[in-house]
Amino acid sequence: LITLILVEIVNKRGAEAKTKTSFIPTKAMFQRLVFIREQALVAVIALTIITLLSSADSIVSRLFLDTHSAGQYAAVATLAKVILAATSPLMWLALPPAVSKDRQKIMTFLSITTAISFSACIIFSLAPTFFLQTLLGIDAGMFTTLLPLASIAMALCSIAFVLVSVSVCLGTLRNLFFSSLAATAGYFIVFLTLQLSLGSLYASLYGQIVASLCFIFGGLLALRSRHFTS
């Protein structure tokens, strides 16, 4: 936020040098700074929530499992997060089209993210033991069966990351704020509801899926905005 304020002042001084007029802070400038502050705050909240939710299963495993079991599940979580790491560059590539409000290019990057994520889900689901032992050299034991579900959770999370970033650029702050609230509430409701019947890890993964779907739904609503060039 401080950096943005300094940039605003530098831009104003640059305009002053060109027009040879005195630098006087205007009401429009302060209104813009207030908007930037609000946008930055909502963006930080949303990105913090989705980042924490993407690691919720690992946190739960450390809290509810013994050291050995938590280590075994960590291998599953690490492999599932490969999906998130593989698609993260697409999130950054989608930002310029979002700033220019180019719906077609945004949808292109979103489609690529979806295709890569769920292709990885299918591949990991076909041979979870093979990929865990080949790529990580670890036998995850009974937690191996969680890899398909963890992969789906990370695939949806990767799509949610793209849409959250796009929503920040579009300035749909209210939509993003309520999506963050819905995602947080959805995760805890699902986790508390399913914990006793399915166990903490299954409950956490299903909670992550619901939370990601909340962000995805909010992001798709943002893409229906009328402020697009195409």
Side-chain angles (χ1 to χ4, degrees), residues 50 109 125 184:
I50 194 173
F109 287 115
S125 299
T184 304

Side-chain angles (χ1 to χ4, degrees), residues 8 12 24-36:
E8 182 70 20
K12 281 290 183 180
I24 301 176
T26 63
K27 181 179 179 180
M29 173 184 170
F30 287 110
Q31 289 176 338
R32 183 180 175 187
L33 289 177
V34 170
F35 174 75
I36 291 174

Side-chain angles (χ1 to χ4, degrees), residues 38-223:
E38 293 176 350
Q39 190 173 27
L41 180 61
V42 174
V44 168
I45 292 174
L47 290 172
T48 300
I49 289 174
I50 194 173
T51 301
L52 289 175
L53 289 173
S54 68
S55 301
D57 55 333
S58 299
I59 297 172
V60 167
S61 68
R62 294 172 185 173
L63 293 175
F64 291 90
L65 302 178
D66 59 80
T67 305
H68 178 69
S69 297
Q72 286 182 312
Y73 180 75
V76 174
T78 300
L79 187 56
K81 282 181 175 57
V82 167
I83 298 173
L84 202 58
T87 56
S88 60
L90 295 170
M91 176 183 70
W92 301 110
L93 292 174
L95 296 184
V99 172
S100 60
K101 295 180 172 58
D102 190 335
R103 191 201 307 268
Q104 185 175 357
K105 289 185 178 180
I106 294 172
M107 293 305 297
T108 298
F109 287 115
L110 186 61
S111 299
I112 295 173
T113 301
T114 303
I116 293 175
S117 300
F118 283 98
S119 296
C121 285
I122 295 172
I123 293 172
F124 288 161
S125 299
L126 292 175
T129 302
F130 170 79
F131 285 106
L132 282 168
Q133 293 182 347
T134 302
L135 298 180
L136 300 179
I138 295 176
D139 180 9
M142 64 178 181
F143 298 104
T144 301
T145 57
L146 284 174
L147 181 58
L149 186 60
S151 298
I152 293 173
M154 289 303 103
L156 291 173
C157 193
S158 65
I159 298 171
F161 261 111
V162 174
L163 288 172
V164 167
S165 302
V166 167
S167 297
V168 171
C169 293
L170 295 177
T172 54
L173 303 182
R174 182 177 300 178
N175 180 60
L176 189 57
F177 178 73
F178 284 112
S179 296
S180 302
L181 289 181
T184 304
Y187 173 81
F188 284 106
I189 290 173
V190 172
F191 179 78
L192 295 174
T193 303
L194 300 180
Q195 183 183 6
L196 295 178
S197 58
L198 296 180
S200 57
L201 283 179
Y202 274 103
S204 180
L205 290 172
Y206 281 118
Q208 287 172 278
I209 290 173
V210 170
S212 295
L213 289 174
C214 290
F215 277 115
I216 291 171
F217 180 74
L220 293 177
L221 286 180
L223 290 179

